[in-house]
Amino acid sequence: MNMVLEIKNLHASVIDETAEDSRKEILKGVNLSIPAGETHVIMGPNGSGKSTLSYVLSGHPSYEVTEGSVTFKGQDLLVMTPDERAATGLFLAFQAPVELPGVNNANFLRTAVNSVRKARGQEELDPVKFLKLVRELAKKLSFSTDMLKRNVNVGFSGGEKKRNEVLQMTLLEPSFAILDETDSGLDIDALRIVAEGVKSLRSPEFSSLIITHHQRLLDHIQPDYIHVLAKGRIIHTGGPELSRQLEAEGYGRLVGEADA
Amino acid sequence: MHKNSEESKDTGLSSLLSRVKGKNTSSEQEKAIRLLSEAGLPSRRVENWKYTDLRWFNQHQFVKPVPVNTQQVQEWLEENVFPLPNLSELPRLIIANGQIIKEFSTLFDDSNCQIDIKDGVYGSLGRLQKDIMTTLNYAIGQQTLQLTISKGQQAGTILFVYLGYGQNDGLVSFHHRLNIELQDHAQLSVIEMNAGCGEYFTNPVCEIKVGPRANFEYNKLLNSSLESYNCANLYVSLADHATYRQFLISKGSKFSRQEVYIDINGEWSNASFQAVQKLADRQHADITTVFSHLVPHCQSDQNVKNILTDQSHGVFQGKVFVHQKAQKTNAQQQNQALLLSDQAEINTKPELEIYADDVKCSHGATVGALDEDQLFFLMARGIPFHQARDILINAFVAQAVEDVNDPIAKQLLKEQLGVEVVEDIT
Ligand SMILES: Nc1ncnc2c1ncn2[C@@H]1O[C@H](COP(=O)(O)OP(=O)(O)OP(=O)(O)O)[C@@H](O)[C@H]1O
Ligand SMILES: [Mg+2]
């Protein structure tokens, strides 16, 4: 099978200068392979390392990989800088998008789009073409164009920030997207819109990894596989029915079996 | 005889003073020379000079400026002023090595300003006893340029250019004196560019009297040679309902110290001071301010931003004084520093001295590196490191020039800061 992403025995620590023991291992041997065109889900208890995995995959400097490998589209992902990963087609929708005071959203979006286009050898978009594109997409996402004039995420509501993430995802045309709890804090309409956004990207060349605590989003997007991450490892993998089972019985039994 | 041969090898302050000793014309000058000879330059033990070291003075022998090569001046203008229609059309005053270059100065044909050039140094606001560089200006300065904007005159924008050219025989110094008076309801906006090459020392003093309901904007760009030493003392006095706005960008210079003294003498007046110090290598730049609220109902704000890389050193000492009569004062002061290297250093000393009880005064200081999460966020969106970093630096400084009223000045300052002139594309 043609794998987009292959994670093998991944160990990663957080570098926390303020902590007494400045290195704390969070990922303790993650194995995960995602074929092209599939949608996978990661569920798991709070603090189990889901966001850490997504940060490590996109290259956040606070985390250090101590063991293992990650291959993305046949290339060694871990040697790439975060911008190279984005250009190669990786996208992370953040659980907590940062605010950028003093940075205009529309200009930020255009800079981002043109950076990846340039790196991919595509023609850059002039302001007119870009605006036409971004307005169309914003409309589809019911994202008020006022948000384009404001500073990136500054003063945005939780839901608006998430929509801004989905807008960025759509604009950057990734081949692999990680959505870290993009569904949290969304109202019912917004949830449907986000789901539509993800579905519209679906193709044999697009895969995604959805991190979620809720069944709701999965009702809209039928995933291929669901993985459970606990204590820094994937402890169980199942089909789409697994989420309902977890919702009914919690993580206790699986975590207990893994510990045993 | 013995003394003379000693003097020729003199360095530091005494080599500078030897130029004027015994040739004094005015009593002010005499007094200044006496003060300097007695007290010498302040060491870092002097409170006000704790963070800024004048020891470089003694490593140099000061020499007299030679006449300027006007070809050099012309070349500078051809590169930096003439190609920009906005700038080249402004009435301008060009001063190179302390001399007014009349052939390039169009201000004299401009009827909106009255200009008067007098021999000797005159002034009424500068504190001869207290401020060492002002004393030095009185001691060595040769001439005073007086600019008057008469009652009700809207003088628009004028351009000052100060150029300095180093010499091989020693450290050359320029001690220009400029006094500006805006009468009732007058308006003036000044763009001042400082540039040059080689090693030199500039020490101008400027006094500005802003009359009742008058409006003055002063946009200064310190982009002097990276080998040069630049001190500048500025004294401002505000009458009632007057508005004073200053934007200062400090980029050039090996060493700079800029002192700003603002006396708010008239009710309902307003003073604003926005500065950016953008430093690299081993540059040292110091901004020292004293804002004195002497009457009620006035506002002042000061925002100083520092962007420091390499082993550069920024200093901001800001004092707000509120007299017991100055009720309903609203004074705000903010200092922010962005340290882009481990070896860069910032020293800040805010000081509030408040004797009135019904006032709003605040000050704050923040120091930090670029936010790692913000940088990562931009890079995760495909933006390469250097561009991402520039976007964040840009965001940090952009606000400082956002409020410049004069559109020509705004464009110039933004370009100089490397602030991308972000068009509103929406
Ligand atoms: N930068 C950091 N500094 C210190 N500890 C960290 C850091 N990042 C993550 N951790 C710790 O690592 C563990 C895993 O965190 P992570 O955010 O990956 O969990 P998560 O599975 O995403 O949880 P949630 O479901 O609550 O989002 C937690 O104990 C967290 O406190
Ligand atoms: Mg998380």
Side-chain angles (χ1 to χ4, degrees):
Chain A
M1 224 182 314
N2 178 20
M3 294 294 170
V4 168
L5 183 76
E6 273 190 289
I7 305 173
K8 286 188 183 149
N9 189 31
L10 185 66
H11 290 254
S13 304
V14 63
I15 305 159
D16 183 356
E17 308 289 349
T18 57
E20 208 169 287
D21 177 14
S22 71
R23 255 171 219 169
K24 179 167 123 195
E25 184 166 73
I26 297 169
L27 300 183
K28 300 168 179 168
V30 174
N31 289 293
L32 180 65
S33 293
I34 300 181
E38 291 192 0
T39 301
H40 288 222
V41 170
I42 290 188
M43 301 182 85
N46 291 133
S48 58
K50 302 181 298 298
S51 293
T52 300
L53 177 64
S54 62
Y55 278 134
V56 168
L57 292 178
S58 40
H60 195 291
S62 295
Y63 302 90
E64 187 187 27
V65 174
T66 52
E67 211 182 320
S69 66
V70 181
T71 311
F72 180 56
K73 291 173 146 183
Q75 301 174 48
D76 182 354
L77 184 73
L78 299 177
V79 299
M80 295 185 209
T81 56
D83 54 310
E84 288 167 349
R85 298 179 198 209
T88 313
L90 182 77
F91 182 90
L92 165 62
F94 289 84
Q95 181 175 359
V98 300
E99 300 185 358
L100 301 177
V103 181
N104 172 273
N105 202 22
N107 280 291
F108 154 69
L109 294 170
R110 189 162 89 93
T111 309
V113 168
N114 281 338
S115 297
V116 299
R117 290 184 73 94
K118 193 171 160 196
R120 290 171 189 167
Q122 296 166 328
E123 196 196 336
E124 294 181 40
L125 300 178
D126 63 42
V128 178
K129 276 202 189 121
F130 170 76
L131 267 187
K132 193 164 170 280
L133 174 69
V134 80
R135 285 219 176 97
E136 256 167 45
L137 291 174
K139 204 170 159 197
K140 275 192 199 154
L141 293 170
S142 309
F143 184 83
S144 154
T145 43
D146 275 356
M147 302 290 153
L148 298 173
K149 290 189 205 290
R150 290 170 49 184
N151 287 337
V152 181
N153 295 331
V154 178
F156 284 27
S157 74
E160 286 164 348
K161 284 182 184 169
K162 296 295 172 83
R163 275 187 238 206
N164 204 22
E165 294 291 293
V166 177
L167 178 64
Q168 289 159 49
M169 175 174 77
T170 322
L171 281 168
L172 295 179
E173 302 179 335
S175 45
F176 184 83
I178 306 167
L179 286 88
D180 190 357
E181 295 198 30
T182 306
D183 55 341
S184 302
L186 289 183
D187 64 36
I188 296 158
D189 292 335
L191 187 76
R192 203 181 49 240
I193 290 161
V194 167
E196 292 307 318
V198 178
K199 276 181 10 197
S200 71
L201 289 172
R202 265 194 177 171
S203 79
E205 285 82 45
F206 176 80
S207 325
S208 56
L209 182 61
I210 295 171
I211 298 170
T212 184
H213 289 296
H214 305 290
Q215 177 61 38
R216 309 190 299 166
L217 182 65
L218 305 182
D219 290 338
H220 292 278
I221 306 170
Q222 283 71 41
D224 296 291
Y225 290 96
I226 295 179
H227 310 275
V228 177
L229 184 77
K231 298 183 180 166
R233 305 174 64 153
I234 305 277
I235 57 162
H236 186 81
T237 295
E241 71 292 343
L242 180 61
S243 59
R244 291 203 184 281
Q245 184 193 327
L246 290 170
E247 200 132 274
E249 61 184 50
Y251 293 110
R253 188 178 58 84
L254 284 177
V255 175
E257 279 172 15
D259 280 343
Chain B
M1 282 322 278
H2 179 72
K3 193 155 201 311
N4 268 345
S5 65
E6 280 275 65
E7 260 180 18
S8 64
K9 276 188 257 140
D10 248 357
T11 55
L13 186 60
S14 60
S15 69
L16 189 49
L17 291 178
S18 69
R19 264 164 55 185
V20 285
K21 256 187 188 158
K23 301 168 197 155
N24 340 327
T25 45
S26 77
S27 61
E28 290 280 82
Q29 189 179 19
E30 228 167 286
K31 194 166 143 198
I33 294 169
R34 201 182 60 242
L35 279 169
L36 287 166
S37 310
E38 283 165 15
L41 294 172
S43 75
R44 289 183 55 186
R45 281 193 296 274
V46 175
E47 183 61 22
N48 226 2
W49 290 88
K50 192 170 162 190
Y51 302 118
T52 292
D53 198 332
L54 285 173
R55 269 183 303 184
W56 56 268
F57 238 85
N58 293 322
Q59 290 150 15
H60 292 278
Q61 184 178 23
F62 284 87
V63 295
K64 266 196 154 151
V66 298
V68 194
N69 172 352
T70 54
Q71 181 68 29
Q72 262 181 324
V73 175
Q74 181 163 357
E75 279 165 18
W76 189 88
L77 291 169
E78 276 168 359
E79 206 172 308
N80 297 285
V81 174
F82 298 158
L84 309 168
N86 284 339
L87 275 189
S88 62
E89 282 161 16
L90 298 177
R92 62 176 173 262
L93 181 73
I94 311 296
I95 296 176
N97 286 13
Q99 296 166 37
I100 296 171
I101 313 293
K102 282 228 162 105
E103 56 182 301
F104 298 123
S105 300
T106 55
L107 187 66
F108 298 95
D109 316 325
D110 186 69
S111 56
N112 288 334
C113 309
Q114 273 163 254
I115 305 173
D116 190 15
I117 301 172
K118 281 192 265 189
D119 281 340
V121 173
Y122 299 93
S124 53
L125 306 177
R127 304 184 310 169
L128 184 55
Q129 309 260 8
K130 282 195 166 155
D131 309 328
I132 190 76
M133 289 302 156
T134 303
T135 316
L136 193 60
N137 182 276
Y138 271 103
I140 320 279
Q142 308 266 309
Q143 115 189 140
T144 301
L145 184 74
Q146 168 78 39
L147 215 69
T148 310
I149 313 298
S150 51
K151 198 171 166 177
Q153 183 70 256
Q154 305 298 295
T157 305
I158 62 177
L159 174 67
F160 289 161
V161 176
Y162 287 99
L163 298 174
Y165 295 96
Q167 288 168 211
N168 292 328
D169 53 343
L171 189 66
V172 62
S173 69
F174 317 119
H175 307 264
H176 199 265
R177 167 59 76 125
L178 171 68
N179 296 332
I180 299 177
E181 185 187 346
L182 278 84
Q183 297 178 349
D184 295 20
H185 285 85
Q187 172 276 334
L188 178 68
S189 166
V190 168
I191 298 176
E192 180 186 313
M193 296 168 87
N194 292 266
C197 58
E199 217 180 21
Y200 54 86
F201 168 45
T202 65
N203 177 37
V205 170
C206 180
E207 293 191 3
I208 302 169
K209 290 182 184 165
V210 188
R213 293 180 199 272
N215 184 330
F216 184 71
E217 183 167 308
Y218 181 23
N219 297 295
K220 175 174 177 178
L221 175 62
L222 185 66
N223 206 1
S224 312
S225 148
L226 290 170
E227 293 167 73
S228 66
Y229 303 87
N230 296 274
C231 293
N233 285 3
L234 173 69
Y235 298 87
V236 180
S237 159
L238 299 183
D240 63 285
H241 297 89
T243 304
Y244 176 83
R245 297 158 66 80
Q246 185 179 0
F247 296 85
L248 167 64
I249 292 177
S250 172
K251 257 179 63 167
S253 301
K254 179 178 184 175
F255 169 99
S256 71
R257 159 102 165 188
Q258 309 196 63
E259 298 177 9
V260 177
Y261 299 90
I262 299 195
D263 282 354
I264 301 178
N265 291 310
E267 292 191 26
W268 306 104
S269 62
N270 192 320
S272 152
F273 177 77
Q274 315 285 323
V276 175
Q277 309 202 88
K278 196 174 183 188
L279 311 174
D281 299 322
R282 305 184 69 110
Q283 278 181 289
H284 176 99
D286 173 338
I287 290 176
T288 294
T289 65
V290 180
F291 278 49
S292 303
H293 283 263
L294 304 167
V295 294
H297 302 295
C298 294
Q299 267 193 40
S300 70
D301 74 290
Q302 307 178 56
N303 290 295
V304 176
K305 296 197 175 198
N306 301 274
I307 302 149
L308 310 176
T309 52
D310 304 327
Q311 299 174 62
S312 59
H313 185 192
V315 177
F316 174 57
Q317 311 185 97
K319 178 169 171 176
V320 174
F321 172 87
V322 181
H323 191 278
Q324 65 182 39
K325 281 196 308 201
Q327 300 294 358
K328 307 283 180 196
T329 287
N330 188 343
Q332 184 276 127
Q333 185 193 86
Q334 181 76 30
N335 179 67
Q336 290 169 283
L338 190 56
L339 301 179
L340 299 175
S341 112
D342 293 345
Q343 292 170 61
E345 194 187 337
I346 176 83
N347 290 111
T348 64
K349 194 179 80 181
E351 226 183 312
L352 296 179
E353 203 179 315
I354 300 171
Y355 298 101
D357 47 25
D358 186 12
V359 299
K360 260 195 245 165
C361 294
S362 66
H363 69 85
T366 60
V367 177
L370 280 180
D371 186 291
E372 196 175 65
D373 288 320
Q374 293 182 339
L375 200 57
F376 171 67
F377 178 76
L378 290 168
M379 290 182 74
R381 295 298 175 254
I383 302 170
F385 172 76
H386 284 287
Q387 204 178 347
R389 198 179 91 149
D390 286 349
I391 288 174
L392 295 179
I393 295 173
N394 210 25
F396 177 73
V397 297
Q399 199 51 49
V401 285
E402 220 31 71
D403 298 333
V404 176
N405 278 339
D406 189 321
I408 304 168
K410 188 167 178 170
Q411 195 188 346
L412 179 75
L413 297 182
K414 280 192 163 184
E415 278 169 17
Q416 286 295 327
L417 277 177
V419 170
E420 203 188 325
V421 185
V422 186
E423 348 118 63
D424 183 3
I425 61 168
T426 54

